[in-house]
mmCIF file with all atom_site columns, all heavy atoms in Angstrom:
data_model
loop_
_atom_site.group_PDB
_atom_site.id
_atom_site.type_symbol
_atom_site.label_atom_id
_atom_site.label_alt_id
_atom_site.label_comp_id
_atom_site.label_asym_id
_atom_site.label_entity_id
_atom_site.label_seq_id
_atom_site.pdbx_PDB_ins_code
_atom_site.Cartn_x
_atom_site.Cartn_y
_atom_site.Cartn_z
_atom_site.occupancy
_atom_site.B_iso_or_equiv
_atom_site.pdbx_formal_charge
_atom_site.auth_seq_id
_atom_site.auth_comp_id
_atom_site.auth_asym_id
_atom_site.auth_atom_id
_atom_site.pdbx_PDB_model_num
ATOM 1   N N   . ARG A 1 155 ? -3.775  -6.157 22.728 1.00 0.00 ? 155 ARG A N   1
ATOM 2   C CA  . ARG A 1 155 ? -5.217  -6.444 22.735 1.00 0.00 ? 155 ARG A CA  1
ATOM 3   C C   . ARG A 1 155 ? -5.547  -7.741 22.105 1.00 0.00 ? 155 ARG A C   1
ATOM 4   O O   . ARG A 1 155 ? -6.761  -8.137 22.092 1.00 0.00 ? 155 ARG A O   1
ATOM 5   C CB  . ARG A 1 155 ? -5.966  -5.376 21.929 1.00 0.00 ? 155 ARG A CB  1
ATOM 6   C CG  . ARG A 1 155 ? -5.800  -3.982 22.522 1.00 0.00 ? 155 ARG A CG  1
ATOM 7   C CD  . ARG A 1 155 ? -6.668  -2.961 21.822 1.00 0.00 ? 155 ARG A CD  1
ATOM 8   N NE  . ARG A 1 155 ? -6.212  -1.600 22.039 1.00 0.00 ? 155 ARG A NE  1
ATOM 9   C CZ  . ARG A 1 155 ? -6.721  -0.530 21.369 1.00 0.00 ? 155 ARG A CZ  1
ATOM 10  N NH1 . ARG A 1 155 ? -7.722  -0.706 20.521 1.00 0.00 ? 155 ARG A NH1 1
ATOM 11  N NH2 . ARG A 1 155 ? -6.297  0.641  21.655 1.00 0.00 ? 155 ARG A NH2 1
ATOM 12  N N   . TRP B 1 8   ? -13.551 10.201 7.056  1.00 0.00 ? 8   TRP B N   1
ATOM 13  C CA  . TRP B 1 8   ? -13.626 11.687 7.230  1.00 0.00 ? 8   TRP B CA  1
ATOM 14  C C   . TRP B 1 8   ? -14.750 12.217 6.390  1.00 0.00 ? 8   TRP B C   1
ATOM 15  O O   . TRP B 1 8   ? -14.879 11.897 5.239  1.00 0.00 ? 8   TRP B O   1
ATOM 16  C CB  . TRP B 1 8   ? -12.311 12.332 6.874  1.00 0.00 ? 8   TRP B CB  1
ATOM 17  C CG  . TRP B 1 8   ? -11.115 11.739 7.549  1.00 0.00 ? 8   TRP B CG  1
ATOM 18  C CD1 . TRP B 1 8   ? -10.100 11.090 6.966  1.00 0.00 ? 8   TRP B CD1 1
ATOM 19  C CD2 . TRP B 1 8   ? -10.877 11.697 8.932  1.00 0.00 ? 8   TRP B CD2 1
ATOM 20  N NE1 . TRP B 1 8   ? -9.187  10.661 7.916  1.00 0.00 ? 8   TRP B NE1 1
ATOM 21  C CE2 . TRP B 1 8   ? -9.615  11.012 9.110  1.00 0.00 ? 8   TRP B CE2 1
ATOM 22  C CE3 . TRP B 1 8   ? -11.499 12.224 10.122 1.00 0.00 ? 8   TRP B CE3 1
ATOM 23  C CZ2 . TRP B 1 8   ? -9.019  10.790 10.397 1.00 0.00 ? 8   TRP B CZ2 1
ATOM 24  C CZ3 . TRP B 1 8   ? -10.962 11.952 11.349 1.00 0.00 ? 8   TRP B CZ3 1
ATOM 25  C CH2 . TRP B 1 8   ? -9.736  11.280 11.477 1.00 0.00 ? 8   TRP B CH2 1
ATOM 26  N N   . GLY B 1 42  ? -18.561 8.335  16.485 1.00 0.00 ? 42  GLY B N   1
ATOM 27  C CA  . GLY B 1 42  ? -18.540 7.003  15.939 1.00 0.00 ? 42  GLY B CA  1
ATOM 28  C C   . GLY B 1 42  ? -17.190 6.685  15.275 1.00 0.00 ? 42  GLY B C   1
ATOM 29  O O   . GLY B 1 42  ? -16.584 5.598  15.489 1.00 0.00 ? 42  GLY B O   1
ATOM 30  N N   . LEU B 1 43  ? -16.715 7.555  14.429 1.00 0.00 ? 43  LEU B N   1
ATOM 31  C CA  . LEU B 1 43  ? -15.423 7.388  13.807 1.00 0.00 ? 43  LEU B CA  1
ATOM 32  C C   . LEU B 1 43  ? -14.369 7.187  14.836 1.00 0.00 ? 43  LEU B C   1
ATOM 33  O O   . LEU B 1 43  ? -13.463 6.371  14.704 1.00 0.00 ? 43  LEU B O   1
ATOM 34  C CB  . LEU B 1 43  ? -15.154 8.602  12.897 1.00 0.00 ? 43  LEU B CB  1
ATOM 35  C CG  . LEU B 1 43  ? -13.876 8.523  12.009 1.00 0.00 ? 43  LEU B CG  1
ATOM 36  C CD1 . LEU B 1 43  ? -14.188 7.732  10.764 1.00 0.00 ? 43  LEU B CD1 1
ATOM 37  C CD2 . LEU B 1 43  ? -13.449 9.934  11.589 1.00 0.00 ? 43  LEU B CD2 1
ATOM 38  N N   . MET B 1 44  ? -14.314 8.090  15.836 1.00 0.00 ? 44  MET B N   1
ATOM 39  C CA  . MET B 1 44  ? -13.228 8.121  16.764 1.00 0.00 ? 44  MET B CA  1
ATOM 40  C C   . MET B 1 44  ? -13.250 6.907  17.714 1.00 0.00 ? 44  MET B C   1
ATOM 41  O O   . MET B 1 44  ? -12.192 6.426  18.197 1.00 0.00 ? 44  MET B O   1
ATOM 42  C CB  . MET B 1 44  ? -13.301 9.392  17.621 1.00 0.00 ? 44  MET B CB  1
ATOM 43  C CG  . MET B 1 44  ? -12.867 10.579 16.862 1.00 0.00 ? 44  MET B CG  1
ATOM 44  S SD  . MET B 1 44  ? -11.195 10.467 16.166 1.00 0.00 ? 44  MET B SD  1
ATOM 45  C CE  . MET B 1 44  ? -11.182 11.683 14.851 1.00 0.00 ? 44  MET B CE  1
ATOM 46  N N   . HIS B 1 45  ? -14.397 6.329  17.929 1.00 0.00 ? 45  HIS B N   1
ATOM 47  C CA  . HIS B 1 45  ? -14.504 5.165  18.818 1.00 0.00 ? 45  HIS B CA  1
ATOM 48  C C   . HIS B 1 45  ? -13.539 4.110  18.424 1.00 0.00 ? 45  HIS B C   1
ATOM 49  O O   . HIS B 1 45  ? -12.722 3.538  19.282 1.00 0.00 ? 45  HIS B O   1
ATOM 50  C CB  . HIS B 1 45  ? -15.960 4.651  18.825 1.00 0.00 ? 45  HIS B CB  1
ATOM 51  C CG  . HIS B 1 45  ? -16.069 3.256  19.404 1.00 0.00 ? 45  HIS B CG  1
ATOM 52  N ND1 . HIS B 1 45  ? -15.858 2.963  20.695 1.00 0.00 ? 45  HIS B ND1 1
ATOM 53  C CD2 . HIS B 1 45  ? -16.307 2.078  18.732 1.00 0.00 ? 45  HIS B CD2 1
ATOM 54  C CE1 . HIS B 1 45  ? -16.029 1.631  20.908 1.00 0.00 ? 45  HIS B CE1 1
ATOM 55  N NE2 . HIS B 1 45  ? -16.256 1.103  19.715 1.00 0.00 ? 45  HIS B NE2 1
ATOM 56  N N   . TYR B 1 46  ? -13.504 3.750  17.153 1.00 0.00 ? 46  TYR B N   1
ATOM 57  C CA  . TYR B 1 46  ? -12.664 2.621  16.709 1.00 0.00 ? 46  TYR B CA  1
ATOM 58  C C   . TYR B 1 46  ? -11.200 2.993  16.698 1.00 0.00 ? 46  TYR B C   1
ATOM 59  O O   . TYR B 1 46  ? -10.317 2.095  16.774 1.00 0.00 ? 46  TYR B O   1
ATOM 60  C CB  . TYR B 1 46  ? -13.101 2.133  15.370 1.00 0.00 ? 46  TYR B CB  1
ATOM 61  C CG  . TYR B 1 46  ? -14.458 1.479  15.422 1.00 0.00 ? 46  TYR B CG  1
ATOM 62  C CD1 . TYR B 1 46  ? -15.659 2.113  15.006 1.00 0.00 ? 46  TYR B CD1 1
ATOM 63  C CD2 . TYR B 1 46  ? -14.643 0.230  15.949 1.00 0.00 ? 46  TYR B CD2 1
ATOM 64  C CE1 . TYR B 1 46  ? -16.899 1.533  15.047 1.00 0.00 ? 46  TYR B CE1 1
ATOM 65  C CE2 . TYR B 1 46  ? -15.868 -0.383 16.096 1.00 0.00 ? 46  TYR B CE2 1
ATOM 66  C CZ  . TYR B 1 46  ? -16.948 0.261  15.579 1.00 0.00 ? 46  TYR B CZ  1
ATOM 67  O OH  . TYR B 1 46  ? -18.207 -0.283 15.748 1.00 0.00 ? 46  TYR B OH  1
ATOM 68  N N   . LEU B 1 47  ? -10.858 4.316  16.632 1.00 0.00 ? 47  LEU B N   1
ATOM 69  C CA  . LEU B 1 47  ? -9.493  4.707  16.606 1.00 0.00 ? 47  LEU B CA  1
ATOM 70  C C   . LEU B 1 47  ? -8.986  4.861  18.081 1.00 0.00 ? 47  LEU B C   1
ATOM 71  O O   . LEU B 1 47  ? -7.758  4.658  18.335 1.00 0.00 ? 47  LEU B O   1
ATOM 72  C CB  . LEU B 1 47  ? -9.312  6.056  16.001 1.00 0.00 ? 47  LEU B CB  1
ATOM 73  C CG  . LEU B 1 47  ? -9.638  6.105  14.419 1.00 0.00 ? 47  LEU B CG  1
ATOM 74  C CD1 . LEU B 1 47  ? -9.431  7.469  13.888 1.00 0.00 ? 47  LEU B CD1 1
ATOM 75  C CD2 . LEU B 1 47  ? -8.690  5.092  13.681 1.00 0.00 ? 47  LEU B CD2 1
ATOM 76  N N   . GLN B 1 48  ? -9.837  5.172  18.985 1.00 0.00 ? 48  GLN B N   1
ATOM 77  C CA  . GLN B 1 48  ? -9.304  5.658  20.337 1.00 0.00 ? 48  GLN B CA  1
ATOM 78  C C   . GLN B 1 48  ? -9.730  4.779  21.487 1.00 0.00 ? 48  GLN B C   1
ATOM 79  O O   . GLN B 1 48  ? -9.132  4.859  22.532 1.00 0.00 ? 48  GLN B O   1
ATOM 80  C CB  . GLN B 1 48  ? -9.902  7.102  20.595 1.00 0.00 ? 48  GLN B CB  1
ATOM 81  C CG  . GLN B 1 48  ? -9.384  8.105  19.548 1.00 0.00 ? 48  GLN B CG  1
ATOM 82  C CD  . GLN B 1 48  ? -9.900  9.487  19.818 1.00 0.00 ? 48  GLN B CD  1
ATOM 83  O OE1 . GLN B 1 48  ? -10.882 9.659  20.449 1.00 0.00 ? 48  GLN B OE1 1
ATOM 84  N NE2 . GLN B 1 48  ? -9.157  10.485 19.229 1.00 0.00 ? 48  GLN B NE2 1
ATOM 85  N N   . ASP B 1 49  ? -10.735 3.912  21.355 1.00 0.00 ? 49  ASP B N   1
ATOM 86  C CA  . ASP B 1 49  ? -11.221 3.158  22.463 1.00 0.00 ? 49  ASP B CA  1
ATOM 87  C C   . ASP B 1 49  ? -10.310 1.875  22.672 1.00 0.00 ? 49  ASP B C   1
ATOM 88  O O   . ASP B 1 49  ? -10.255 1.062  21.768 1.00 0.00 ? 49  ASP B O   1
ATOM 89  C CB  . ASP B 1 49  ? -12.659 2.685  22.227 1.00 0.00 ? 49  ASP B CB  1
ATOM 90  C CG  . ASP B 1 49  ? -13.268 2.017  23.458 1.00 0.00 ? 49  ASP B CG  1
ATOM 91  O OD1 . ASP B 1 49  ? -12.482 1.503  24.287 1.00 0.00 ? 49  ASP B OD1 1
ATOM 92  O OD2 . ASP B 1 49  ? -14.476 1.975  23.545 1.00 0.00 ? 49  ASP B OD2 1
ATOM 93  N N   . GLY B 1 50  ? -9.625  1.845  23.806 1.00 0.00 ? 50  GLY B N   1
ATOM 94  C CA  . GLY B 1 50  ? -8.695  0.758  24.012 1.00 0.00 ? 50  GLY B CA  1
ATOM 95  C C   . GLY B 1 50  ? -9.359  -0.616 24.127 1.00 0.00 ? 50  GLY B C   1
ATOM 96  O O   . GLY B 1 50  ? -8.709  -1.649 24.207 1.00 0.00 ? 50  GLY B O   1
ATOM 97  N N   . VAL B 1 52  ? -11.347 -1.801 21.722 1.00 0.00 ? 52  VAL B N   1
ATOM 98  C CA  . VAL B 1 52  ? -11.552 -2.412 20.422 1.00 0.00 ? 52  VAL B CA  1
ATOM 99  C C   . VAL B 1 52  ? -10.458 -3.456 20.145 1.00 0.00 ? 52  VAL B C   1
ATOM 100 O O   . VAL B 1 52  ? -9.291  -3.114 20.209 1.00 0.00 ? 52  VAL B O   1
ATOM 101 C CB  . VAL B 1 52  ? -11.456 -1.262 19.373 1.00 0.00 ? 52  VAL B CB  1
ATOM 102 C CG1 . VAL B 1 52  ? -11.560 -1.891 17.933 1.00 0.00 ? 52  VAL B CG1 1
ATOM 103 C CG2 . VAL B 1 52  ? -12.565 -0.263 19.576 1.00 0.00 ? 52  VAL B CG2 1
ATOM 104 N N   . PRO B 1 55  ? -8.143  -2.897 16.312 1.00 0.00 ? 55  PRO B N   1
ATOM 105 C CA  . PRO B 1 55  ? -8.328  -1.489 15.844 1.00 0.00 ? 55  PRO B CA  1
ATOM 106 C C   . PRO B 1 55  ? -7.713  -1.218 14.479 1.00 0.00 ? 55  PRO B C   1
ATOM 107 O O   . PRO B 1 55  ? -6.697  -1.800 14.117 1.00 0.00 ? 55  PRO B O   1
ATOM 108 C CB  . PRO B 1 55  ? -7.551  -0.747 16.960 1.00 0.00 ? 55  PRO B CB  1
ATOM 109 C CG  . PRO B 1 55  ? -6.489  -1.629 17.390 1.00 0.00 ? 55  PRO B CG  1
ATOM 110 C CD  . PRO B 1 55  ? -7.108  -3.025 17.281 1.00 0.00 ? 55  PRO B CD  1
ATOM 111 N N   . PRO B 1 56  ? -8.421  -0.397 13.706 1.00 0.00 ? 56  PRO B N   1
ATOM 112 C CA  . PRO B 1 56  ? -7.816  0.150  12.483 1.00 0.00 ? 56  PRO B CA  1
ATOM 113 C C   . PRO B 1 56  ? -6.771  1.150  12.772 1.00 0.00 ? 56  PRO B C   1
ATOM 114 O O   . PRO B 1 56  ? -6.889  1.836  13.800 1.00 0.00 ? 56  PRO B O   1
ATOM 115 C CB  . PRO B 1 56  ? -8.949  0.717  11.708 1.00 0.00 ? 56  PRO B CB  1
ATOM 116 C CG  . PRO B 1 56  ? -9.965  1.116  12.753 1.00 0.00 ? 56  PRO B CG  1
ATOM 117 C CD  . PRO B 1 56  ? -9.759  0.202  13.940 1.00 0.00 ? 56  PRO B CD  1
ATOM 118 N N   . PHE B 1 57  ? -5.770  1.310  11.871 1.00 0.00 ? 57  PHE B N   1
ATOM 119 C CA  . PHE B 1 57  ? -4.755  2.257  12.040 1.00 0.00 ? 57  PHE B CA  1
ATOM 120 C C   . PHE B 1 57  ? -5.286  3.655  11.673 1.00 0.00 ? 57  PHE B C   1
ATOM 121 O O   . PHE B 1 57  ? -4.939  4.680  12.255 1.00 0.00 ? 57  PHE B O   1
ATOM 122 C CB  . PHE B 1 57  ? -3.557  1.984  11.116 1.00 0.00 ? 57  PHE B CB  1
ATOM 123 C CG  . PHE B 1 57  ? -2.411  2.938  11.305 1.00 0.00 ? 57  PHE B CG  1
ATOM 124 C CD1 . PHE B 1 57  ? -1.587  2.917  12.404 1.00 0.00 ? 57  PHE B CD1 1
ATOM 125 C CD2 . PHE B 1 57  ? -2.099  3.848  10.301 1.00 0.00 ? 57  PHE B CD2 1
ATOM 126 C CE1 . PHE B 1 57  ? -0.510  3.772  12.562 1.00 0.00 ? 57  PHE B CE1 1
ATOM 127 C CE2 . PHE B 1 57  ? -1.061  4.749  10.446 1.00 0.00 ? 57  PHE B CE2 1
ATOM 128 C CZ  . PHE B 1 57  ? -0.266  4.739  11.522 1.00 0.00 ? 57  PHE B CZ  1
ATOM 129 N N   . ALA B 1 58  ? -6.183  3.720  10.664 1.00 0.00 ? 58  ALA B N   1
ATOM 130 C CA  . ALA B 1 58  ? -6.713  4.946  10.161 1.00 0.00 ? 58  ALA B CA  1
ATOM 131 C C   . ALA B 1 58  ? -7.905  4.673  9.346  1.00 0.00 ? 58  ALA B C   1
ATOM 132 O O   . ALA B 1 58  ? -8.143  3.553  8.865  1.00 0.00 ? 58  ALA B O   1
ATOM 133 C CB  . ALA B 1 58  ? -5.641  5.648  9.296  1.00 0.00 ? 58  ALA B CB  1
ATOM 134 N N   . PRO B 1 59  ? -8.838  5.668  9.145  1.00 0.00 ? 59  PRO B N   1
ATOM 135 C CA  . PRO B 1 59  ? -9.945  5.554  8.237  1.00 0.00 ? 59  PRO B CA  1
ATOM 136 C C   . PRO B 1 59  ? -9.437  5.380  6.813  1.00 0.00 ? 59  PRO B C   1
ATOM 137 O O   . PRO B 1 59  ? -8.321  5.906  6.505  1.00 0.00 ? 59  PRO B O   1
ATOM 138 C CB  . PRO B 1 59  ? -10.781 6.781  8.372  1.00 0.00 ? 59  PRO B CB  1
ATOM 139 C CG  . PRO B 1 59  ? -10.298 7.394  9.733  1.00 0.00 ? 59  PRO B CG  1
ATOM 140 C CD  . PRO B 1 59  ? -8.870  7.032  9.789  1.00 0.00 ? 59  PRO B CD  1
ATOM 141 N N   . TYR B 1 61  ? -12.623 2.567  7.412  1.00 0.00 ? 61  TYR B N   1
ATOM 142 C CA  . TYR B 1 61  ? -12.938 1.218  7.847  1.00 0.00 ? 61  TYR B CA  1
ATOM 143 C C   . TYR B 1 61  ? -14.415 0.968  7.624  1.00 0.00 ? 61  TYR B C   1
ATOM 144 O O   . TYR B 1 61  ? -15.248 1.877  7.570  1.00 0.00 ? 61  TYR B O   1
ATOM 145 C CB  . TYR B 1 61  ? -12.459 0.872  9.247  1.00 0.00 ? 61  TYR B CB  1
ATOM 146 C CG  . TYR B 1 61  ? -12.497 2.032  10.163 1.00 0.00 ? 61  TYR B CG  1
ATOM 147 C CD1 . TYR B 1 61  ? -13.578 2.181  11.058 1.00 0.00 ? 61  TYR B CD1 1
ATOM 148 C CD2 . TYR B 1 61  ? -11.434 2.857  10.293 1.00 0.00 ? 61  TYR B CD2 1
ATOM 149 C CE1 . TYR B 1 61  ? -13.582 3.243  11.959 1.00 0.00 ? 61  TYR B CE1 1
ATOM 150 C CE2 . TYR B 1 61  ? -11.421 3.919  11.170 1.00 0.00 ? 61  TYR B CE2 1
ATOM 151 C CZ  . TYR B 1 61  ? -12.460 4.092  12.018 1.00 0.00 ? 61  TYR B CZ  1
ATOM 152 O OH  . TYR B 1 61  ? -12.506 5.160  12.903 1.00 0.00 ? 61  TYR B OH  1
#
Side-chain angles (χ1 to χ4, degrees):
Chain A
R155 296 186 200 174
Chain B
W8 307 115
L43 186 81
M44 288 302 161
H45 163 70
Y46 292 104
L47 294 179
Q48 296 179 340
D49 187 338
V52 175
F57 183 76
Y61 32 96

